[in-house]
Amino acid sequence: MEFTVKSPANIAFIKYWGQKDIQLVIPCNDSFSMNLSECFTEINFKVLEDPSIKEMQIKEYKSSEYKQATDVELQKVLDFYVTLKKELSITKDIGFTILSSNSFPKKAGIASSASFFSAIALAFCHAFQKEISEKELSILARLSGSGSAARSIPDGFVWWHAGLTSESSYTESIGANDYWDISDVVLVLSSKEKKVSSQDGHKRAQTSPYFESRQQLLPKILSDIKAAFIKKDFTAFGRIVENEAINFHSVLMTQNPPLYFWSGKTLEAIEHVIKLRQDGTECYFTIDAGENVHVICQKDQVEVVRDSFLKTAFVEDIIVNYPSRGARIL
Ligand code: DP6
């Protein structure tokens, strides 16, 4: 049996940061994201008779050849294989070879682990011929360790209900990919790998003196962004997205040890977004756990935004994304 799975990365408009339960990957707050059409992982999965063969090769962004995954990369997949089998009460063991390729730079603040682990969750379920609901699949993806992988399972615009238990911490689509023509113009400022994993960052989130106030503000922010989304009020939506990015990074920069993801180029990009807006192009920024900047605008502004950033010296690459479907078998 051989098949291919494709799964998108996602950009969080309201971020997941901090966990109520580290083992079960239950976040402190709901989060809300959009799946990205041009930032995805494709996995070719072969099921083998011999369970002793469990191999993985990875083709990096812009590389033409597959290379053996490192022991650490393979171990994460093997750990998730054990977790998933346990969750689904599967006793059978299978062998597999995985060929994984990414359409975008890894570990640079564009959730590559989200697209990868959501694809792996779907691939394992398919390999074991387990028909499960989207909600259950999102719960499994969450347990991969990369919690945001759960948001790459449903289509389009996705809400992650934080929940209090494993069963109640799941994701669902609140708008299909054609619901709203919002675009994410990703400015790749550097494709260097980041130094601190989100996993380590979550664990230290509560050491920020601003973590609690963020938690107190979030219910209103979440209900306001949902209202703006339902009304398709892009101005209200964009302002909330931008404020949230600053709010989120304020926690990161003040936790112990602090996480400074911004570079000089990040600040230049922020200033450029503000200038574009002053000149009449409506766009807003958000920044994940990395230095790259995501410029959020409506489809009719994409060309202006892209052309304007192409003229700057600080941008290495630009990836224009539209809302995308979630994880699927091709
Ligand atoms: C900052 O624990 O899901 O991207 O495994 O690195 O993808 P990765 O991280 P994860 O935390 C994501 C944190 C975030 C914000 C978000 O996407 O909600």
Side-chain angles (χ1 to χ4, degrees), residues 13-14 29-33 157-162 170-175 179-180 182 217-241 244:
F13 299 126
I14 305 296
N29 58 273
D30 285 14
S31 54
F32 173 42
S33 60
F157 298 87
V158 181
W159 200 270
W160 180 359
H161 302 277
Y170 68 96
T171 62
E172 69 174 334
S173 175
I174 62 161
Y179 170 76
W180 199 8
I182 286 191
L217 291 169
L218 272 170
K220 172 147 176 30
I221 295 170
L222 285 155
S223 81
D224 286 352
I225 200 165
K226 198 181 250 174
F229 181 72
I230 290 166
K231 278 195 269 169
K232 296 190 183 168
D233 178 345
F234 186 63
T235 304
F237 188 86
R239 284 185 183 149
I240 298 170
V241 168
E244 157 63 2

Side-chain angles (χ1 to χ4, degrees), residues 29 43 50 55 76 93 115 143 177 184 194 201 237 240 264 267 272 278 285 315:
N29 58 273
I43 281 179
D50 181 354
E55 290 173 353
K76 283 189 188 159
D93 194 13
S115 57
L143 291 169
N177 31 309
D184 175 10
K194 65 183 183 189
F237 188 86
I240 298 170
L267 281 168
H272 200 93
Q278 281 163 355
F285 64 82
V315 172

Side-chain angles (χ1 to χ4, degrees), residues 41-241:
T41 299
E42 259 185 32
I43 281 179
N44 174 273
F45 196 98
K46 253 188 225 152
V47 183
L48 307 172
E49 288 293 311
D50 181 354
S52 70
I53 306 172
K54 290 186 174 63
E55 290 173 353
M56 180 164 74
Q57 291 185 28
I58 298 176
K59 183 153 65 88
E60 299 295 355
Y61 174 62
K62 288 192 172 164
S63 156
S64 55
E65 57 186 58
Y66 283 95
K67 287 198 183 127
Q68 209 64 41
T70 63
D71 290 348
V72 174
E73 285 164 337
L74 182 61
Q75 195 53 50
K76 283 189 188 159
V77 171
L78 297 178
D79 290 347
F80 182 40
Y81 172 79
V82 172
T83 305
L84 183 134
K85 274 184 43 173
K86 198 168 150 231
E87 286 293 311
L88 296 174
S89 308
I90 294 169
T91 47
K92 191 179 159 198
D93 194 13
I94 55 168
F96 52 79
T97 57
I98 295 169
L99 294 180
S100 172
S101 63
N102 264 355
S103 71
F104 62 105
K106 223 176 150 185
K107 294 187 184 161
I110 308 166
S112 60
S113 42
S115 57
F116 176 74
F117 279 106
S118 51
I120 289 283
L122 179 55
F124 282 153
C125 288
H126 194 68
F128 284 116
Q129 293 169 323
K130 276 275 175 190
E131 296 291 329
I132 60 169
S133 67
E134 184 180 270
K135 177 178 172 182
E136 286 172 300
L137 185 58
S138 80
I139 290 171
L140 290 174
R142 191 195 86 233
L143 291 169
S144 67
S146 168
S148 54
R151 292 195 313 246
S152 292
I153 299 291
D155 288 344
F157 298 87
V158 181
W159 200 270
W160 180 359
H161 302 277
L164 290 169
T165 59
S166 192
E167 293 70 38
S168 57
S169 186
Y170 68 96
T171 62
E172 69 174 334
S173 175
I174 62 161
N177 31 309
D178 58 359
Y179 170 76
W180 199 8
D181 61 356
I182 286 191
S183 312
D184 175 10
V185 180
V186 180
L187 308 177
V188 181
L189 306 178
S190 153
S191 37
K192 282 192 303 249
E193 292 205 1
K194 65 183 183 189
K195 294 180 205 90
V196 183
S197 74
S198 296
Q199 274 311 301
D200 293 336
H202 288 297
K203 287 183 193 135
R204 309 289 300 158
Q206 270 122 345
T207 62
S208 162
Y210 302 110
F211 181 79
E212 263 319 307
S213 46
R214 169 172 160 78
Q215 288 303 310
Q216 274 162 28
L217 291 169
L218 272 170
K220 172 147 176 30
I221 295 170
L222 285 155
S223 81
D224 286 352
I225 200 165
K226 198 181 250 174
F229 181 72
I230 290 166
K231 278 195 269 169
K232 296 190 183 168
D233 178 345
F234 186 63
T235 304
F237 188 86
R239 284 185 183 149
I240 298 170
V241 168

